[in-house]
Amino acid sequence: QVQLEESGGGLVQAGGSLRLSCATSGRTFSSYYMGWFRQAPGKEREFVATINWSGGRLHYADSVKGRFTISRDNRKNTVYLQMNSLTPEDAAVYYCAANTGSISVYATTYDYWGRGTQVTVSS
């Protein structure tokens, strides 16, 4: 069993930055593929970024490529999402998720989820 807890959300002006963190429990964090997803009101949950166990393979949604960076620290059992040049379209609840199988953009392939952290971007 893996427990995930996101933090770092908040209110930021358009053009600003936020760094989300996702702390995980368990001794096998380094074996998990990790992902970030987001869900805005009235919209489906969408993929944002994913990272493999070593941090050597990354994949981003086109909408965030070049602005967001996913990373992980296996010593701290934590995955991060650095978000720069935020726009109102980035406002959503951001979720981190753990996948025991493979790097994936599909929410249905993730086994464990955090409760989310709210990101609000003012124009």
Side-chain angles (χ1 to χ4, degrees), residues 59-93:
H59 185 67
Y60 297 94
D62 287 343
S63 59
V64 307
K65 201 172 295 183
R67 301 187 298 121
F68 290 12
T69 303
I70 188 172
S71 62
R72 66 190 296 163
D73 186 337
N74 288 340
R75 297 168 300 174
K76 296 182 178 180
N77 288 1
T78 301
V79 62
Y80 305 97
L81 186 68
Q82 177 66 44
M83 306 186 296
N84 299 328
S85 303
L86 286 161
T87 73
E89 288 69 37
D90 295 314
V93 177

Side-chain angles (χ1 to χ4, degrees), residues 19-108:
R19 188 194 196 201
L20 305 184
S21 299
C22 175
T24 71
S25 65
R27 294 175 291 178
T28 58
F29 172 77
S30 60
S31 66
Y32 286 98
Y33 299 83
M34 301 297 297
W36 285 98
F37 290 77
R38 66 187 182 185
Q39 188 167 17
K43 295 187 178 181
E44 293 186 355
R45 189 168 299 190
E46 66 172 355
F47 165 75
V48 175
T50 184
I51 188 169
N52 76 329
W53 66 272
S54 69
R57 287 185 61 197
L58 312 174
H59 185 67
Y60 297 94
D62 287 343
S63 59
V64 307
K65 201 172 295 183
R67 301 187 298 121
F68 290 12
T69 303
I70 188 172
S71 62
R72 66 190 296 163
D73 186 337
N74 288 340
R75 297 168 300 174
K76 296 182 178 180
N77 288 1
T78 301
V79 62
Y80 305 97
L81 186 68
Q82 177 66 44
M83 306 186 296
N84 299 328
S85 303
L86 286 161
T87 73
E89 288 69 37
D90 295 314
V93 177
Y94 282 71
Y95 300 89
C96 72
N99 176 349
T100 58
S102 64
I103 199 165
S104 173
V105 304
Y106 300 106
T108 55

